[in-house]
Each structure stands twice: as structure tokens, then as C-alpha cells.
Amino acid sequence: MLKRLRRSLTLGLLLCAALPAHAGEMLADARVIRSVSHGQSFAREMNAVGRLVGIDPALLRAVVVQESNGNPNAVSEAGAVGLTQLMPVAIRQYTREAARLLGRPVNPRSALDNLLIGAFYYRDALRRTHGNVEAAARLYHGGPNLAMHGPRTTAYGKAVAWRYRQMTRASVRPAV
């Protein structure tokens, strides 16, 4: 409880510019999270959100590319919205946690808020699958009822795992 309160207070102080920029890496991440720029790739925001929530930012990027191809205004036929294509049930599940962290009401159609809720959802899927990226992607796509996971959900899990492997390989190649 105290840790959550401290994080909210820290974000609040950053919003008021009462803390210096050198107050730590988490504070820098929170500052980036507050400065979402429109019409860009959202790479900075994904890095900051991933680090803040505790998932690899490359994994968050892989999910965003697979889900919306980076379109913050994407809406699926099923009603999923935003960069991470959140369904209403996921939005309801993580809105309170996101609002506590942001220190304000959440708008799931906002790119930043959508990334944050999607990262919370994926974080919990990773915990349930003991860090298995492909299995977590299947939970993210198909929901918690494993009996409902069909071929599309299986293909989705493989696609996200493949994208994640590609992104992590690209980031560790030596410079030429």
C-alpha cells in the first residue's frame, strides 16, 4: 500500500514539476509517460510503460505491432480499441490500477492510457504463464478460458512470440 502511495505521490510531484529530472530512472519513465506525442511511433512511451510496469518494452512493441500496427485509433469488429486492442472487460479490470498510477481518470482511447492498461494485462498474463511469451500472448488474445482458445488464438501467440524474438535479436546485433 505504501509503495503504491509513494508511486502516486512521485507521479503527482512530477506533474507539478516539484522534483528534479535526476530523481531516478522511474521518475524519468513517468515523465515520458506524461508527454505522449501524437502521430509518432510511441516507442518512447512503450519503453517507459514497459519499464514502469515490469515487462520488456520490446514485448510491448511486439504486441502493439501485432494488435494495431501502431494505430492508436484502431477499433476492431469485436469492439477492441487502441494500440493494444483492449476489450471492455480488460479496460474495466485495469482502469483502477492505471488511474492510481496516472493520478487521473483513464481514457482507454488515449494512446498512453491504452498502452498502460495493455501492459498491466500482459504483465498478468506473463505471471500466469511463468514468463512464457507465447502462452501469455494466447491469454492476452483469447482470454482466461483456455477451452475457448482456437486456431486464431494459437496463431496469434506464435506471431507475437516470433515478433518479439525478431525485435530482441535486432536490438542485440553488434554495430557495423
Side-chain angles (χ1 to χ4, degrees), residues 8 14 54 60 66 69 73 86 88 98 107 111 117 119 135 144-145 149 153 159:
S8 295
L14 280 172
L60 187 55
Q66 186 67 34
N69 202 25
N73 300 313
L86 296 168
N107 174 3
I117 294 169
N145 186 350
H149 292 190
T153 298

Side-chain angles (χ1 to χ4, degrees), residues 62-136:
V63 170
V64 166
V65 169
Q66 186 67 34
E67 287 287 351
S68 67
N69 202 25
N71 179 2
N73 300 313
V75 179
S76 76
E77 291 177 12
V81 297
L83 290 169
T84 60
Q85 289 293 279
L86 296 168
M87 292 296 285
V89 67
I91 293 168
R92 283 191 301 274
Q93 183 176 354
Y94 293 100
T95 293
R96 184 175 289 158
E97 186 176 4
R100 252 193 326 265
L101 185 63
L102 293 169
R104 61 170 171 75
V106 173
N107 174 3
R109 290 186 182 262
S110 154
L112 169 67
D113 298 9
N114 189 277
L115 283 171
L116 189 58
I117 294 169
F120 286 141
Y121 188 20
Y122 209 92
R123 174 203 62 198
D124 289 351
L126 283 168
R127 286 178 180 165
R128 283 191 62 197
T129 62
H130 308 288
N132 182 317
V133 170
E134 187 174 328

Side-chain angles (χ1 to χ4, degrees), residues 7 10-11 14 19-34 44-57:
R7 187 181 299 168
T10 300
L11 288 171
L14 280 172
L19 288 178
H22 63 277
E25 187 174 314
M26 185 175 147
L27 301 180
D29 292 343
R31 186 170 290 119
V32 170
I33 285 173
R34 287 185 293 105
R44 286 181 41 192
E45 293 80 15
M46 285 186 261
N47 286 337
V49 167
R51 285 193 306 260
L52 194 62
V53 172
I55 67 169
D56 186 347

